[in-house]
Amino acid sequence: MLRNHLKTAWQNLRKHKAYVAINTAGLAIGVAACLLIFLLIQYETSFDHFHKDTDRIYRVVAANKTPEGMHYSQGSAFPVAEGLRLDYPQLEQVARIYARNNKQITLLNDDTHTPQKKFRENVLYAEPAFFHIFNFPFLAGDPNTALSEINTAVLTQATAEKYFGDWHTAIGKWIKYDNGNVCKVTGILQNTPANTDFPLQVVFSFKTSKQEDLSTDWAAQDGSLNTFVVLSKNMTVQQFDADLKTFVKKHIPAEYASQGYQLQPLNQMHYERAYGTLSGKTFSKELITALSLIGLFLLIIACINFINLATAQAVNRSKEVGIRKVLGSSKMQLILQFLSETFLITLVSVIIAIGVALLLLPSLNHLLQTSVKIQFSTSLMLFLCGLIVTVTLLSGIYPAVVLSGFNPIVVLKNKFTSKAAGGLSMRKVLVVFQFVIAQVLIIGTLVVVHQMRFFQHADLGFDKDAIVTVPMANDTAGRTKGDALKLQLQQLTGVKDVSLSAFSPMDQAGWDDDFIFDNATKKAGFKTDFKWADADYFKTFNIRFIAGNPYIPADTVNGFVVNEMMTKKLGFKNPENIIGKKISFWEGKINGPVVGVVKDFNGYSLKEEMKPMVLSSNKMFYRLFNIKIQPQQAQQTLAAIASLWNKTYPDFVYEYQFLDEKIASFYQQENQLSQLYQLFAGIAIFISCLGLYGFVSFMAAQRTKEIGVRKVLGASVSSIVYLFSKEFTLLIGIAFLIASPIAYYIMHRWLQNFAYRVHLGIGLFLLTILIAEIIAWLTVGYQAIKASVANPVKSLRTE
C-alpha cells in the first residue's frame, strides 16, 4: 500500500512541475537555513566538553562589588592558587595559566644559541597540573614533567612544524621568549581541536614567568591570570562558593573587602561574556536562543508557504479528488496519498538543503571564524529524520485534510467554492504569520546595522584615522632605544606625530587602580583607569584639554592628566579647581599633582560606560609606538618605518596595526550578528513571498469568473489589480502592527548590552513597513496583472 501511495504521489507530482518546483525551493531554503543553524549551535555548545572531568572543572573568577554595581573578571590574584592548595587540600587539582599576547619567539641555534628565525605568537604560562586537569594529548614528552622546571616550553604540533619543519625533531630545541628567557622544548602537543577556549600554541612553564616572585599582592587581580580547580566527587559548588567567602576574608586585606571570588563551571565558560575567555571568543546563551528561534521560525514559514501553495492547488485537483471518491477511495486513503506527496517533496527538499548547506558552510565559517563541519553523526541523522517527519506533518496534514474532504457531488457539478477548500481565512492568518516573522527580522536587521554604523562613526573623543600602532621591543635595551627611534620616526617625511604609551586611547586592556586624593587618610571610593603615555600622546591623538596643560616630558611621573569624568566623580564642578591637587598610587610610591584635565574620550569599547581616567608618563611601562602618518603617503611611509625599525631592532619582528582596524575588531561579534540577521531576514522574506504568491494564485483561481464579469462590465486593469493588492496590503499592515511591538521589545533588550546605543525611532519602523510592502507588490504584481488582462470569454465559458 505504501509503495502504491508513493508511486501515485510521484506521478501526480510530475504533472504539477511548477507547483513542485516552487514548493521544493521554499522548503529547501528553509531547511538549509535550519540545518546551518543546528550545525552552528551544535558546534558552539561543544566547547571543551571533550575533557575527562568536565563536570568537576571550575574556573575561580572575580566578582567584585563597586559603587556602579558588580564587576566581573576572569582574572585572579597570583597568590590565590597557592592559597587554595594549602587551605583546601581536598581539591583534586589546582592550576594557573597566564596569557601574554603578541610576544616574540626567536629560534636559536642548538650549539651557539644565535638567533635563526623570529615569530609573533600568543603564549601561555602554565603550571604542570594544567595538563592533569585538561586532556590535551602529548605526541612527545612527559606531561607530568614537561613544565616542571624553569625555562621549559611545550609546543603544539602545528607550531613545531612551523618552527622546525618536522615536529619529531623539535624536542630538545631552544627558543628565546621576547628577547629574554632561553627555553628548552620539552614536549609536543597534538593540535588542539577547534572547539576549545584554550588557544594553545606555545606553553611555557609557569616558573619561567617569575610572577610568583614579583606578584604577592592578594588584592592585585590580573585579568590575564586564570585559576582552575577540580572539585573532589564529594564536594558541591554551593559548598565551595561558601568556602571561598571565608577564604577571601582570611587572605584579602579588609580595605579590599569589596573583592570576592566564585566558581564558574568549565562547561559555562564559553557562554558568559561577563567573564570572557582566554581565546577572547564567547557565544552567549541569549544568542543561542535567538538563533534557535530564528531556525524554528524559518522552518515554520517554509511549512506555511507549503500549505498556502498546496491549498491554492485545490481548484486544480478538486475533480481528481471527486473522481477518486466516486471510485471508492476513503478519506484516510486520500490523506495518506497527499501526505505521501508531501513526504516526497520534503525528502527531495532535505537532500537539496544538505547540498546547499555544504555550499554555504565555508562562507559561514569564514564569516564567523568557526570550523563547523557536516559530519553525519547520530545526532545529525536524528535531526534530519526528525526534520523530515516534522515538516511532512506540519506542511502536509492541513492540505491533506482539506483536499480529502471535498464533496464529490459538489465538485463534479462545478459548484466548488473557496469555502470548500477551507476558505480564505486560514490562508490570511498564515500569510500574516509569515510576514510577522519576516518583519521582526527586518526590524532586527535594521537595528543591528544602525548600531554597527553608530560604532563605526561615533565621536570617540580622539583621532583614530591614519594612526599606526607598533609593539615596541619589551626589554631594557628596547626601551632605551625607544626615545632615539621616536626622534628618527618624527623626521620621516610622511610622519606627522609620534608618541609612546602602554595602551592606545581605546583598548581592550588597561589598569584599574585605587588611589588617594589630596592627601586624604583613606583611598577614594572608586578605581580609576590608568594609562601610561608620554607628553606627545595628546597631540598625536588630538585629545582636547579643557583645563591645564600636558605634563612636562619626562621618563618618570612628574604630574597627572585626568579626564572630565574623574573631576565629576571627585566632586569638582569646575575642572580648573582640580589643578594642583595631589594624587597618590601604590601606597605612595607614585604621586604627583594634577596638571591638566582633558575632555572625556572612550578608553574602552562603546559597549562599556565611560570611566574616570588618569594619564601619566613612565618610560618603564611603554609598550607601543603610536605613529600618525599622512594618508596620501601611507605605503611609502610604512616602508620607511619598517626599514628604520629593522635597523634599530634587528632582533625583533616588525608588526603594525592601524588603530581604526583595531577598534573595529572590538565589535566583531556584533558585526557577524548583523550579517547573520541580514542573511536570515532575506531568507524569511523570500519564503514569505513564495507564500504570498500562493495566496494570490489561490485568489486568482477562485475569482476567475468574478474578474471576467467585472471586465465585461467595464472594469479597468488598474481597478482589478487594486482588487488583488488591497488584500495583501491590508494583511501586511496587520502583520506590521503585530511585529512592531515584538521587535521593539527584543531589540530594546539587545541594545541594553551597550552603554552607548542608538534610539529606536519611529522612522526605522516606517522603513520596515515600506520595505515589506514594496517587496510584496513586486512579488504579486505579475500574478495580479496576469489575472486582470485574461480574456473574460474564457473565464465565463461553461463546459
Side-chain angles (χ1 to χ4, degrees):
M1 181 63 74
L2 178 61
R3 181 180 177 184
N4 181 61
H5 280 313
L6 292 174
K7 184 178 179 180
T8 306
W10 175 252
Q11 291 172 346
N12 286 330
L13 293 177
R14 290 181 64 185
K15 294 177 184 177
H16 306 94
K17 293 184 176 65
Y19 159 77
V20 172
I22 294 174
N23 248 334
T24 303
L27 274 181
I29 292 173
V31 171
C34 192
L35 176 58
L36 286 173
I37 290 173
F38 171 80
L39 292 170
L40 177 62
I41 292 174
Q42 185 182 53
Y43 169 79
E44 294 291 349
T45 53
S46 68
F47 268 62
D48 288 301
H49 283 203
F50 54 87
H51 301 293
K52 181 182 177 183
D53 297 314
T54 303
D55 59 330
R56 294 192 290 122
I57 301 174
Y58 294 85
R59 181 167 63 171
V60 180
V61 291
N64 304 327
K65 295 178 182 178
T66 69
E68 294 78 21
M70 294 298 295
H71 173 72
Y72 300 99
S73 169
Q74 62 180 283
S76 58
F78 279 89
V80 166
E82 192 58 36
L84 290 173
R85 291 190 190 99
L86 294 173
D87 291 6
Y88 303 99
Q90 63 270 36
L91 290 170
E92 288 191 9
Q93 298 287 350
V94 179
R96 291 172 291 184
I97 53 174
Y98 187 48
R100 309 302 291 161
N101 294 334
N102 199 31
K103 296 300 180 181
Q104 179 166 304
I105 302 295
T106 306
L107 308 190
L108 303 177
N109 180 278
D110 290 345
D111 300 321
T112 61
H113 282 196
T114 53
Q116 302 293 309
K117 295 180 182 178
K118 297 172 290 184
F119 301 89
R120 283 278 181 184
E121 305 284 11
N122 294 333
V123 306
L124 293 176
Y125 292 101
E127 295 182 312
F130 175 76
F131 291 114
H132 297 163
I133 296 174
F134 299 100
N135 303 123
F136 295 111
F138 271 68
L139 297 175
D142 184 354
N144 296 311
T145 59
L147 296 180
S148 59
E149 299 297 328
I150 192 171
N151 296 335
T152 54
V154 170
L155 311 178
T156 61
Q157 179 183 346
T159 305
E161 288 172 350
K162 181 173 73 172
Y163 289 176
F164 306 109
D166 184 359
W167 67 267
H168 295 87
T169 62
I171 295 291
K173 299 286 186 180
W174 296 90
I175 60 176
K176 192 176 186 180
Y177 169 68
D178 218 26
N179 213 29
N181 297 80
V182 174
C183 300
K184 185 177 183 179
V185 178
T186 55
I188 304 296
L189 287 169
Q190 184 176 309
N191 289 333
T192 54
N195 58 338
T196 179
D197 281 315
F198 296 93
L200 306 184
Q201 292 175 301
V202 181
V203 186
F204 292 103
S205 63
F206 199 84
K207 291 179 180 179
T208 307
S209 71
K210 299 181 181 178
Q211 288 292 339
E212 287 180 298
D213 301 329
L214 299 174
S215 301
T216 57
D217 187 349
W218 279 87
Q221 296 173 344
D222 192 318
S224 299
L225 179 75
N226 281 212
T227 302
F228 291 90
V229 299
V230 180
L231 300 185
S232 61
K233 294 181 180 179
N234 60 351
M235 297 176 72
T236 65
V237 181
Q238 295 77 10
Q239 173 193 339
F240 197 73
D241 271 336
D243 290 340
L244 280 175
K245 293 179 181 178
T246 305
F247 179 79
V248 166
K249 289 180 181 179
K250 176 181 177 182
H251 294 286
I252 297 181
E255 60 186 302
Y256 298 100
S258 61
Q259 289 190 7
Y261 290 104
Q262 61 189 33
L263 296 183
Q264 180 192 32
L266 177 67
N267 55 22
Q268 298 298 312
M269 193 170 74
H270 188 62
Y271 316 120
E272 296 181 350
R273 297 179 67 177
Y275 298 110
T277 62
L278 286 166
S279 65
K281 297 178 181 179
T282 57
F283 204 86
S284 68
K285 289 185 176 180
E286 290 80 7
L287 186 52
I288 290 174
T289 302
L291 287 176
S292 300
L293 289 174
I294 289 172
L296 177 62
F297 286 140
L298 288 176
L299 191 63
I300 290 173
I301 62 174
C303 294
I304 290 173
N305 174 66
F306 187 102
I307 293 169
N308 277 337
L309 290 173
T311 51
Q313 284 289 104
V315 176
N316 297 332
R317 301 194 65 175
S318 59
K319 285 187 173 61
E320 173 195 339
V321 174
I323 292 170
R324 284 178 178 273
K325 282 198 166 186
V326 168
L327 293 176
S329 293
S330 66
K331 185 171 182 177
M332 182 54 66
Q333 286 176 320
L334 289 170
I335 289 175
L336 291 175
Q337 180 62 55
F338 290 123
L339 281 176
S340 298
E341 293 178 18
T342 305
F343 170 77
L344 285 179
I345 293 175
T346 303
L347 183 62
V348 172
S349 299
V350 169
I351 293 170
I352 294 173
I354 293 172
V356 171
L358 284 169
L359 289 173
L360 294 180
L361 201 52
S363 299
L364 183 69
N365 281 327
H366 177 72
L367 169 65
L368 300 180
Q369 297 185 353
T370 54
S371 301
V372 182
K373 297 178 182 178
I374 292 185
Q375 297 176 328
F376 290 95
S377 59
T378 303
S379 59
L380 180 58
M381 294 306 296
L382 288 172
F383 174 76
L384 291 175
C385 290
L387 208 58
I388 291 171
V389 172
T390 302
V391 173
T392 299
L393 293 176
L394 280 176
S395 303
I397 197 69
Y398 175 72
V401 170
V402 169
L403 292 170
S404 64
F406 293 163
N407 186 324
I409 298 175
V410 173
V411 169
L412 296 176
K413 284 185 176 182
N414 282 331
K415 294 183 179 180
F416 176 74
T417 65
S418 62
K419 290 183 178 180
L424 287 173
S425 57
M426 176 59 76
R427 275 165 289 285
K428 288 181 180 179
V429 170
L430 295 178
V431 168
V432 168
F433 186 77
Q434 280 185 312
F435 273 90
V436 166
I437 295 171
Q439 290 184 74
V440 167
L441 286 174
I442 291 172
I443 293 170
T445 300
L446 291 175
V447 172
V448 174
V449 169
H450 192 26
Q451 181 68 20
M452 289 306 302
R453 287 180 179 171
F454 171 75
F455 284 153
Q456 293 165 4
H457 302 295
D459 181 8
L460 304 176
F462 62 90
D463 286 350
K464 61 183 176 68
D465 297 325
I467 293 179
V468 175
T469 61
V470 183
M472 69 186 302
N474 190 25
D475 64 354
T476 303
R479 285 188 288 271
T480 301
K481 296 178 181 179
D483 290 334
L485 178 57
K486 176 184 172 182
L487 291 173
Q488 291 176 296
L489 288 170
Q490 287 173 327
Q491 295 170 9
L492 292 177
T493 304
V495 173
K496 296 173 70 175
D497 291 301
V498 183
S499 68
L500 299 172
S501 66
F503 308 108
S504 53
M506 196 173 191
D507 213 308
Q508 294 289 63
W511 288 8
D512 284 334
D513 282 301
D514 296 294
F515 64 97
I516 292 175
F517 180 71
D518 198 24
N519 300 315
T521 56
K522 63 178 182 178
K523 293 181 179 179
F526 60 93
K527 290 187 176 183
T528 182
D529 182 27
F530 207 140
K531 289 187 181 293
W532 297 105
D534 67 11
D536 291 326
Y537 190 79
F538 307 99
K539 182 175 68 169
T540 302
F541 292 101
N542 193 25
I543 298 172
R544 299 178 288 280
F545 277 80
I546 59 174
N549 297 288
Y551 32 76
I552 298 170
D555 291 344
T556 57
V557 174
N558 64 4
F560 297 105
V561 169
V562 301
N563 68 347
E564 288 178 281
M565 178 66 73
M566 182 76 164
T567 63
K568 292 173 184 176
K569 293 279 286 185
L570 290 170
F572 291 92
K573 293 182 179 180
N574 185 351
E576 293 285 353
N577 294 338
I578 199 174
I579 303 298
K581 300 293 185 181
K582 289 190 176 182
I583 300 180
S584 173
F585 290 91
W586 304 353
E587 309 302 330
K589 294 177 183 176
I590 293 179
N591 57 78
V594 175
V595 297
V597 180
V598 293
K599 192 172 180 61
D600 282 336
F601 64 89
N602 293 91
Y604 293 85
S605 80
L606 294 175
K607 301 174 190 178
E608 301 181 37
E609 294 280 0
M610 188 82 67
K611 294 183 178 181
M613 187 182 300
V614 171
L615 299 96
S616 190
S617 60
N618 193 317
K619 187 175 181 178
M620 291 299 297
F621 298 111
Y622 297 157
R623 302 176 184 175
L624 288 176
F625 283 93
N626 307 289
I627 309 168
K628 191 167 190 174
I629 64 175
Q630 296 281 3
Q632 300 83 358
Q633 306 175 42
Q635 293 301 321
Q636 304 95 307
T637 305
L638 289 173
I641 293 171
S643 176
L644 198 55
W645 173 277
N646 290 327
K647 288 179 183 177
T648 307
Y649 299 124
D651 295 332
F652 282 88
V653 177
Y654 168 72
E655 284 187 351
Y656 70 88
Q657 184 178 23
F658 279 97
L659 181 59
D660 55 354
E661 293 177 351
K662 180 178 182 180
I663 292 172
S665 70
F666 298 166
Y667 314 109
Q668 182 180 15
Q669 189 174 61
E670 287 72 26
N671 188 49
Q672 292 168 344
L673 179 64
S674 171
Q675 295 183 59
L676 276 181
Y677 262 55
Q678 293 175 56
L679 172 64
F680 293 137
I683 291 172
I685 290 167
F686 175 78
I687 299 173
S688 298
C689 288
L690 287 178
L692 190 60
Y693 179 84
F695 173 71
V696 174
S697 298
F698 180 85
M699 285 175 58
Q702 291 301 301
R703 305 179 75 168
T704 303
K705 285 185 172 60
E706 177 191 342
I707 293 169
V709 171
R710 286 177 179 271
K711 292 197 70 175
V712 168
L713 294 176
S716 64
V717 172
S718 59
S719 66
I720 294 172
V721 171
Y722 170 73
L723 184 69
F724 280 95
S725 63
K726 70 176 183 180
E727 295 279 355
F728 69 78
T729 300
L730 178 62
L731 294 180
I732 292 172
I734 294 170
F736 174 75
L737 294 176
I738 299 171
S740 295
I742 296 172
Y744 180 88
Y745 174 76
I746 294 171
M747 298 317 298
H748 177 74
R749 287 195 60 182
W750 179 74
L751 287 172
Q752 300 311 303
N753 293 319
F754 311 110
Y756 300 90
R757 48 188 177 265
V758 296
H759 174 65
L760 289 176
I762 191 171
L764 187 139
F765 291 89
L766 293 177
L767 180 60
T768 299
I769 185 65
L770 180 63
I771 291 171
E773 292 287 4
I774 290 173
I775 292 171
W777 273 74
L778 292 174
T779 301
V780 304
Y782 168 75
Q783 188 69 24
I785 293 171
K786 180 182 174 182
S788 64
V789 299
N791 189 341
V793 175
K794 292 182 179 180
S795 60
L796 295 174
R797 183 178 56 196
T798 57
E799 296 180 2

